[in-house]
Amino acid sequence: MTSIQDNLTAIRSQLVECEKKYVRMPGSVLLLAVSKQQSIENIAQALEMDQTHFGENYLQEALPKIAYFKDKIAWHFIGPIQANKTRKIAEHFQWVHSVADKKIAERLNDQRPDHLPPLNICIQVNIDQEPAKSGVVIEELFPLAEYCRKLPRLNFRGLMAIPEAQKNFSAQKLAFSKLKAQFEKLQEKGFMVDTLSMGMSDDWKAAVSEGATVIRIGAGIFGARI
Ligand SMILES: *Cc1c(COP(=O)(O)O)cnc(C)c1O
């Protein structure tokens, strides 16, 4: 096995343990491999181990990888979205985790090709209200959710956040619990959401303890990026 395959094996078994520890259903947390800056060879090593969901942040970097692997991989767009990139994103991805305004949502809806199922989307929430970070603030969440729910070519699935990096487990949990609270509020209001995309290499266990259904892991699988 290569080191990528070793890392994947280790994370998978830690995830099984973590689901047990926090009384989550076995298999209820999807491991999304974040392959930004990773070569086709590295992605192929993970795919060989039946890793089939991958996340990319930059459209131009993702397109050749998507063309190479065709429908063997489900691609998730997880980076900030510029308006001039929406058409290709709508054409080539199954998921977008980083919807943060109406204009982008509308363009993705209008540009989603008819022969494909509705595009799965999450709204990105700026959960720590950091000025430099993408995502909507809490006050903007419900109006945007209402808007997305009405767009027929989008399937509004849930929420995503990238909290401030914290070393301490309980501080990590606190940020994730805030996102979970908003997710539950959506469910109470009748939104059919089932996806909480939260947790990265350094904080995913806290995210699983707070109900993450997707964890997005880059360095933990592929090694540190330079
Ligand atoms: C890069 C990135 C990740 C993965 O981060 P790691 O620390 O390498 O696990 C997850 N989510 C988003 C949005 C990212 O940009």
Side-chain angles (χ1 to χ4, degrees), residues 131-157:
K133 213 154 269 150
S134 323
V136 295
V137 293
I138 304 285
E139 300 78 65
E140 296 166 341
L141 171 58
F142 284 84
L144 181 58
E146 284 292 354
Y147 185 79
C148 290
R149 164 151 75 176
K150 295 193 186 108
L151 296 173
R153 301 296 296 143
L154 300 186
N155 189 0
F156 174 45
R157 299 292 297 270

PDB file of all heavy atoms in Angstrom, residues 131-157:
ATOM      1  N   PRO A 131     -14.707  38.428   9.321  1.00  0.00           N
ATOM      2  CA  PRO A 131     -14.843  39.348   8.187  1.00  0.00           C
ATOM      3  C   PRO A 131     -14.258  38.810   6.885  1.00  0.00           C
ATOM      4  O   PRO A 131     -14.819  39.031   5.819  1.00  0.00           O
ATOM      5  CB  PRO A 131     -14.085  40.603   8.643  1.00  0.00           C
ATOM      6  CG  PRO A 131     -13.911  40.467  10.111  1.00  0.00           C
ATOM      7  CD  PRO A 131     -14.037  39.022  10.476  1.00  0.00           C
ATOM      8  N   ALA A 132     -13.132  38.100   6.943  1.00  0.00           N
ATOM      9  CA  ALA A 132     -12.458  37.685   5.705  1.00  0.00           C
ATOM     10  C   ALA A 132     -12.978  36.360   5.157  1.00  0.00           C
ATOM     11  O   ALA A 132     -12.544  35.914   4.102  1.00  0.00           O
ATOM     12  CB  ALA A 132     -10.950  37.597   5.943  1.00  0.00           C
ATOM     13  N   LYS A 133     -13.884  35.713   5.865  1.00  0.00           N
ATOM     14  CA  LYS A 133     -14.298  34.378   5.441  1.00  0.00           C
ATOM     15  C   LYS A 133     -15.556  34.387   4.583  1.00  0.00           C
ATOM     16  O   LYS A 133     -16.427  35.213   4.748  1.00  0.00           O
ATOM     17  CB  LYS A 133     -14.517  33.515   6.675  1.00  0.00           C
ATOM     18  CG  LYS A 133     -14.139  32.138   6.339  1.00  0.00           C
ATOM     19  CD  LYS A 133     -13.692  31.114   7.222  1.00  0.00           C
ATOM     20  CE  LYS A 133     -12.306  30.813   7.589  1.00  0.00           C
ATOM     21  NZ  LYS A 133     -12.273  30.260   8.926  1.00  0.00           N
ATOM     22  N   SER A 134     -15.629  33.410   3.636  1.00  0.00           N
ATOM     23  CA  SER A 134     -16.828  33.298   2.807  1.00  0.00           C
ATOM     24  C   SER A 134     -17.982  32.743   3.622  1.00  0.00           C
ATOM     25  O   SER A 134     -17.802  32.205   4.702  1.00  0.00           O
ATOM     26  CB  SER A 134     -16.601  32.346   1.636  1.00  0.00           C
ATOM     27  OG  SER A 134     -15.315  32.452   1.134  1.00  0.00           O
ATOM     28  N   GLY A 135     -19.160  32.861   3.037  1.00  0.00           N
ATOM     29  CA  GLY A 135     -20.343  32.303   3.678  1.00  0.00           C
ATOM     30  C   GLY A 135     -21.278  33.389   4.165  1.00  0.00           C
ATOM     31  O   GLY A 135     -20.882  34.535   4.348  1.00  0.00           O
ATOM     32  N   VAL A 136     -22.539  33.003   4.352  1.00  0.00           N
ATOM     33  CA  VAL A 136     -23.524  33.971   4.834  1.00  0.00           C
ATOM     34  C   VAL A 136     -23.447  34.077   6.356  1.00  0.00           C
ATOM     35  O   VAL A 136     -23.075  33.114   7.029  1.00  0.00           O
ATOM     36  CB  VAL A 136     -24.969  33.572   4.435  1.00  0.00           C
ATOM     37  CG1 VAL A 136     -25.141  33.599   2.928  1.00  0.00           C
ATOM     38  CG2 VAL A 136     -25.359  32.205   4.998  1.00  0.00           C
ATOM     39  N   VAL A 137     -23.799  35.244   6.872  1.00  0.00           N
ATOM     40  CA  VAL A 137     -23.968  35.354   8.322  1.00  0.00           C
ATOM     41  C   VAL A 137     -25.359  34.788   8.657  1.00  0.00           C
ATOM     42  O   VAL A 137     -26.203  34.627   7.772  1.00  0.00           O
ATOM     43  CB  VAL A 137     -23.810  36.810   8.818  1.00  0.00           C
ATOM     44  CG1 VAL A 137     -22.368  37.265   8.632  1.00  0.00           C
ATOM     45  CG2 VAL A 137     -24.759  37.753   8.105  1.00  0.00           C
ATOM     46  N   ILE A 138     -25.579  34.482   9.925  1.00  0.00           N
ATOM     47  CA  ILE A 138     -26.811  33.798  10.337  1.00  0.00           C
ATOM     48  C   ILE A 138     -28.072  34.539   9.856  1.00  0.00           C
ATOM     49  O   ILE A 138     -29.021  33.917   9.408  1.00  0.00           O
ATOM     50  CB  ILE A 138     -26.861  33.656  11.879  1.00  0.00           C
ATOM     51  CG1 ILE A 138     -25.619  32.929  12.406  1.00  0.00           C
ATOM     52  CG2 ILE A 138     -28.143  32.964  12.328  1.00  0.00           C
ATOM     53  CD1 ILE A 138     -25.568  31.469  12.186  1.00  0.00           C
ATOM     54  N   GLU A 139     -28.041  35.872   9.933  1.00  0.00           N
ATOM     55  CA  GLU A 139     -29.247  36.642   9.563  1.00  0.00           C
ATOM     56  C   GLU A 139     -29.603  36.448   8.086  1.00  0.00           C
ATOM     57  O   GLU A 139     -30.752  36.628   7.697  1.00  0.00           O
ATOM     58  CB  GLU A 139     -29.056  38.148   9.824  1.00  0.00           C
ATOM     59  CG  GLU A 139     -28.757  38.529  11.262  1.00  0.00           C
ATOM     60  CD  GLU A 139     -27.301  38.255  11.642  1.00  0.00           C
ATOM     61  OE1 GLU A 139     -26.413  38.904  11.072  1.00  0.00           O
ATOM     62  OE2 GLU A 139     -27.052  37.368  12.495  1.00  0.00           O
ATOM     63  N   GLU A 140     -28.599  36.129   7.273  1.00  0.00           N
ATOM     64  CA  GLU A 140     -28.869  35.967   5.841  1.00  0.00           C
ATOM     65  C   GLU A 140     -29.242  34.535   5.474  1.00  0.00           C
ATOM     66  O   GLU A 140     -29.638  34.263   4.339  1.00  0.00           O
ATOM     67  CB  GLU A 140     -27.618  36.344   5.025  1.00  0.00           C
ATOM     68  CG  GLU A 140     -27.218  37.797   5.165  1.00  0.00           C
ATOM     69  CD  GLU A 140     -25.794  38.063   4.625  1.00  0.00           C
ATOM     70  OE1 GLU A 140     -25.001  37.110   4.479  1.00  0.00           O
ATOM     71  OE2 GLU A 140     -25.494  39.239   4.369  1.00  0.00           O
ATOM     72  N   LEU A 141     -29.088  33.612   6.424  1.00  0.00           N
ATOM     73  CA  LEU A 141     -29.254  32.198   6.092  1.00  0.00           C
ATOM     74  C   LEU A 141     -30.682  31.851   5.660  1.00  0.00           C
ATOM     75  O   LEU A 141     -30.884  31.220   4.620  1.00  0.00           O
ATOM     76  CB  LEU A 141     -28.819  31.320   7.277  1.00  0.00           C
ATOM     77  CG  LEU A 141     -29.132  29.833   7.153  1.00  0.00           C
ATOM     78  CD1 LEU A 141     -28.488  29.225   5.907  1.00  0.00           C
ATOM     79  CD2 LEU A 141     -28.659  29.078   8.402  1.00  0.00           C
ATOM     80  N   PHE A 142     -31.668  32.263   6.448  1.00  0.00           N
ATOM     81  CA  PHE A 142     -33.025  31.805   6.144  1.00  0.00           C
ATOM     82  C   PHE A 142     -33.598  32.399   4.857  1.00  0.00           C
ATOM     83  O   PHE A 142     -34.204  31.667   4.079  1.00  0.00           O
ATOM     84  CB  PHE A 142     -33.938  31.944   7.367  1.00  0.00           C
ATOM     85  CG  PHE A 142     -33.655  30.854   8.349  1.00  0.00           C
ATOM     86  CD1 PHE A 142     -32.614  30.993   9.257  1.00  0.00           C
ATOM     87  CD2 PHE A 142     -34.325  29.654   8.302  1.00  0.00           C
ATOM     88  CE1 PHE A 142     -32.273  29.951  10.120  1.00  0.00           C
ATOM     89  CE2 PHE A 142     -33.999  28.603   9.160  1.00  0.00           C
ATOM     90  CZ  PHE A 142     -32.972  28.755  10.074  1.00  0.00           C
ATOM     91  N   PRO A 143     -33.373  33.689   4.599  1.00  0.00           N
ATOM     92  CA  PRO A 143     -33.808  34.205   3.292  1.00  0.00           C
ATOM     93  C   PRO A 143     -33.158  33.464   2.115  1.00  0.00           C
ATOM     94  O   PRO A 143     -33.839  33.144   1.128  1.00  0.00           O
ATOM     95  CB  PRO A 143     -33.357  35.676   3.329  1.00  0.00           C
ATOM     96  CG  PRO A 143     -33.225  36.013   4.767  1.00  0.00           C
ATOM     97  CD  PRO A 143     -32.885  34.741   5.489  1.00  0.00           C
ATOM     98  N   LEU A 144     -31.872  33.167   2.224  1.00  0.00           N
ATOM     99  CA  LEU A 144     -31.213  32.451   1.123  1.00  0.00           C
ATOM    100  C   LEU A 144     -31.736  31.017   1.015  1.00  0.00           C
ATOM    101  O   LEU A 144     -31.934  30.496  -0.093  1.00  0.00           O
ATOM    102  CB  LEU A 144     -29.685  32.469   1.317  1.00  0.00           C
ATOM    103  CG  LEU A 144     -28.866  31.771   0.223  1.00  0.00           C
ATOM    104  CD1 LEU A 144     -29.148  32.372  -1.160  1.00  0.00           C
ATOM    105  CD2 LEU A 144     -27.360  31.855   0.526  1.00  0.00           C
ATOM    106  N   ALA A 145     -31.990  30.375   2.156  1.00  0.00           N
ATOM    107  CA  ALA A 145     -32.525  29.006   2.139  1.00  0.00           C
ATOM    108  C   ALA A 145     -33.900  28.975   1.461  1.00  0.00           C
ATOM    109  O   ALA A 145     -34.172  28.102   0.631  1.00  0.00           O
ATOM    110  CB  ALA A 145     -32.616  28.457   3.562  1.00  0.00           C
ATOM    111  N   GLU A 146     -34.758  29.943   1.787  1.00  0.00           N
ATOM    112  CA  GLU A 146     -36.082  30.036   1.152  1.00  0.00           C
ATOM    113  C   GLU A 146     -35.933  30.177  -0.357  1.00  0.00           C
ATOM    114  O   GLU A 146     -36.673  29.576  -1.134  1.00  0.00           O
ATOM    115  CB  GLU A 146     -36.852  31.266   1.682  1.00  0.00           C
ATOM    116  CG  GLU A 146     -37.433  31.107   3.069  1.00  0.00           C
ATOM    117  CD  GLU A 146     -38.576  30.089   3.129  1.00  0.00           C
ATOM    118  OE1 GLU A 146     -39.012  29.584   2.068  1.00  0.00           O
ATOM    119  OE2 GLU A 146     -39.017  29.788   4.249  1.00  0.00           O
ATOM    120  N   TYR A 147     -34.982  31.011  -0.748  1.00  0.00           N
ATOM    121  CA  TYR A 147     -34.755  31.259  -2.164  1.00  0.00           C
ATOM    122  C   TYR A 147     -34.297  29.982  -2.879  1.00  0.00           C
ATOM    123  O   TYR A 147     -34.829  29.615  -3.923  1.00  0.00           O
ATOM    124  CB  TYR A 147     -33.710  32.376  -2.309  1.00  0.00           C
ATOM    125  CG  TYR A 147     -33.479  32.819  -3.725  1.00  0.00           C
ATOM    126  CD1 TYR A 147     -34.388  33.680  -4.350  1.00  0.00           C
ATOM    127  CD2 TYR A 147     -32.358  32.392  -4.432  1.00  0.00           C
ATOM    128  CE1 TYR A 147     -34.180  34.090  -5.664  1.00  0.00           C
ATOM    129  CE2 TYR A 147     -32.145  32.803  -5.737  1.00  0.00           C
ATOM    130  CZ  TYR A 147     -33.062  33.652  -6.349  1.00  0.00           C
ATOM    131  OH  TYR A 147     -32.844  34.051  -7.636  1.00  0.00           O
ATOM    132  N   CYS A 148     -33.333  29.284  -2.282  1.00  0.00           N
ATOM    133  CA  CYS A 148     -32.785  28.066  -2.897  1.00  0.00           C
ATOM    134  C   CYS A 148     -33.841  26.971  -2.978  1.00  0.00           C
ATOM    135  O   CYS A 148     -33.874  26.198  -3.937  1.00  0.00           O
ATOM    136  CB  CYS A 148     -31.582  27.556  -2.109  1.00  0.00           C
ATOM    137  SG  CYS A 148     -30.146  28.621  -2.265  1.00  0.00           S
ATOM    138  N   ARG A 149     -34.685  26.890  -1.974  1.00  0.00           N
ATOM    139  CA  ARG A 149     -35.712  25.841  -1.945  1.00  0.00           C
ATOM    140  C   ARG A 149     -36.622  25.938  -3.168  1.00  0.00           C
ATOM    141  O   ARG A 149     -37.110  24.936  -3.664  1.00  0.00           O
ATOM    142  CB  ARG A 149     -36.536  25.990  -0.657  1.00  0.00           C
ATOM    143  CG  ARG A 149     -37.846  25.237  -0.695  1.00  0.00           C
ATOM    144  CD  ARG A 149     -38.306  24.804   0.656  1.00  0.00           C
ATOM    145  NE  ARG A 149     -38.858  25.885   1.461  1.00  0.00           N
ATOM    146  CZ  ARG A 149     -39.396  25.679   2.663  1.00  0.00           C
ATOM    147  NH1 ARG A 149     -39.422  24.472   3.182  1.00  0.00           N
ATOM    148  NH2 ARG A 149     -39.875  26.687   3.356  1.00  0.00           N
ATOM    149  N   LYS A 150     -36.828  27.152  -3.664  1.00  0.00           N
ATOM    150  CA  LYS A 150     -37.759  27.350  -4.784  1.00  0.00           C
ATOM    151  C   LYS A 150     -37.125  27.093  -6.142  1.00  0.00           C
ATOM    152  O   LYS A 150     -37.825  27.058  -7.151  1.00  0.00           O
ATOM    153  CB  LYS A 150     -38.316  28.779  -4.739  1.00  0.00           C
ATOM    154  CG  LYS A 150     -39.161  29.027  -3.499  1.00  0.00           C
ATOM    155  CD  LYS A 150     -39.956  30.320  -3.603  1.00  0.00           C
ATOM    156  CE  LYS A 150     -40.674  30.613  -2.298  1.00  0.00           C
ATOM    157  NZ  LYS A 150     -40.048  31.752  -1.566  1.00  0.00           N
ATOM    158  N   LEU A 151     -35.818  26.950  -6.195  1.00  0.00           N
ATOM    159  CA  LEU A 151     -35.169  26.777  -7.498  1.00  0.00           C
ATOM    160  C   LEU A 151     -35.230  25.299  -7.903  1.00  0.00           C
ATOM    161  O   LEU A 151     -34.672  24.440  -7.218  1.00  0.00           O
ATOM    162  CB  LEU A 151     -33.720  27.280  -7.435  1.00  0.00           C
ATOM    163  CG  LEU A 151     -33.575  28.787  -7.164  1.00  0.00           C
ATOM    164  CD1 LEU A 151     -32.112  29.167  -6.951  1.00  0.00           C
ATOM    165  CD2 LEU A 151     -34.180  29.614  -8.298  1.00  0.00           C
ATOM    166  N   PRO A 152     -35.891  24.979  -9.024  1.00  0.00           N
ATOM    167  CA  PRO A 152     -36.181  23.578  -9.354  1.00  0.00           C
ATOM    168  C   PRO A 152     -34.967  22.752  -9.763  1.00  0.00           C
ATOM    169  O   PRO A 152     -34.983  21.538  -9.632  1.00  0.00           O
ATOM    170  CB  PRO A 152     -37.156  23.696 -10.538  1.00  0.00           C
ATOM    171  CG  PRO A 152     -36.891  25.030 -11.139  1.00  0.00           C
ATOM    172  CD  PRO A 152     -36.489  25.914  -9.992  1.00  0.00           C
ATOM    173  N   ARG A 153     -33.909  23.427 -10.249  1.00  0.00           N
ATOM    174  CA  ARG A 153     -32.739  22.671 -10.707  1.00  0.00           C
ATOM    175  C   ARG A 153     -31.666  22.559  -9.622  1.00  0.00           C
ATOM    176  O   ARG A 153     -30.562  22.096  -9.883  1.00  0.00           O
ATOM    177  CB  ARG A 153     -32.179  23.311 -11.991  1.00  0.00           C
ATOM    178  CG  ARG A 153     -33.182  23.357 -13.132  1.00  0.00           C
ATOM    179  CD  ARG A 153     -33.598  21.979 -13.604  1.00  0.00           C
ATOM    180  NE  ARG A 153     -32.465  21.275 -14.166  1.00  0.00           N
ATOM    181  CZ  ARG A 153     -32.247  19.968 -14.030  1.00  0.00           C
ATOM    182  NH1 ARG A 153     -33.078  19.217 -13.344  1.00  0.00           N
ATOM    183  NH2 ARG A 153     -31.191  19.401 -14.574  1.00  0.00           N
ATOM    184  N   LEU A 154     -32.024  23.027  -8.408  1.00  0.00           N
ATOM    185  CA  LEU A 154     -31.135  22.834  -7.256  1.00  0.00           C
ATOM    186  C   LEU A 154     -31.849  21.944  -6.254  1.00  0.00           C
ATOM    187  O   LEU A 154     -33.065  22.007  -6.091  1.00  0.00           O
ATOM    188  CB  LEU A 154     -30.800  24.174  -6.572  1.00  0.00           C
ATOM    189  CG  LEU A 154     -30.088  25.239  -7.400  1.00  0.00           C
ATOM    190  CD1 LEU A 154     -29.726  26.423  -6.511  1.00  0.00           C
ATOM    191  CD2 LEU A 154     -28.850  24.689  -8.098  1.00  0.00           C
ATOM    192  N   ASN A 155     -31.062  21.109  -5.578  1.00  0.00           N
ATOM    193  CA  ASN A 155     -31.585  20.297  -4.485  1.00  0.00           C
ATOM    194  C   ASN A 155     -30.888  20.780  -3.213  1.00  0.00           C
ATOM    195  O   ASN A 155     -29.717  20.455  -2.972  1.00  0.00           O
ATOM    196  CB  ASN A 155     -31.292  18.818  -4.770  1.00  0.00           C
ATOM    197  CG  ASN A 155     -31.986  17.888  -3.807  1.00  0.00           C
ATOM    198  OD1 ASN A 155     -32.705  18.328  -2.914  1.00  0.00           O
ATOM    199  ND2 ASN A 155     -31.762  16.598  -3.973  1.00  0.00           N
ATOM    200  N   PHE A 156     -31.599  21.590  -2.443  1.00  0.00           N
ATOM    201  CA  PHE A 156     -31.003  22.186  -1.246  1.00  0.00           C
ATOM    202  C   PHE A 156     -30.866  21.129  -0.149  1.00  0.00           C
ATOM    203  O   PHE A 156     -31.865  20.675   0.393  1.00  0.00           O
ATOM    204  CB  PHE A 156     -31.857  23.374  -0.781  1.00  0.00           C
ATOM    205  CG  PHE A 156     -31.418  23.966   0.531  1.00  0.00           C
ATOM    206  CD1 PHE A 156     -30.076  24.201   0.791  1.00  0.00           C
ATOM    207  CD2 PHE A 156     -32.359  24.306   1.496  1.00  0.00           C
ATOM    208  CE1 PHE A 156     -29.673  24.748   2.005  1.00  0.00           C
ATOM    209  CE2 PHE A 156     -31.966  24.860   2.709  1.00  0.00           C
ATOM    210  CZ  PHE A 156     -30.626  25.074   2.970  1.00  0.00           C
ATOM    211  N   ARG A 157     -29.639  20.726   0.153  1.00  0.00           N
ATOM    212  CA  ARG A 157     -29.401  19.579   1.030  1.00  0.00           C
ATOM    213  C   ARG A 157     -28.994  19.938   2.447  1.00  0.00           C
ATOM    214  O   ARG A 157     -29.151  19.128   3.350  1.00  0.00           O
ATOM    215  CB  ARG A 157     -28.312  18.688   0.409  1.00  0.00           C
ATOM    216  CG  ARG A 157     -28.673  18.111  -0.964  1.00  0.00           C
ATOM    217  CD  ARG A 157     -29.801  17.098  -0.893  1.00  0.00           C
ATOM    218  NE  ARG A 157     -29.422  15.937  -0.109  1.00  0.00           N
ATOM    219  CZ  ARG A 157     -28.838  14.843  -0.602  1.00  0.00           C
ATOM    220  NH1 ARG A 157     -28.580  14.753  -1.889  1.00  0.00           N
ATOM    221  NH2 ARG A 157     -28.528  13.835   0.184  1.00  0.00           N
TER     222      ARG A 157
END
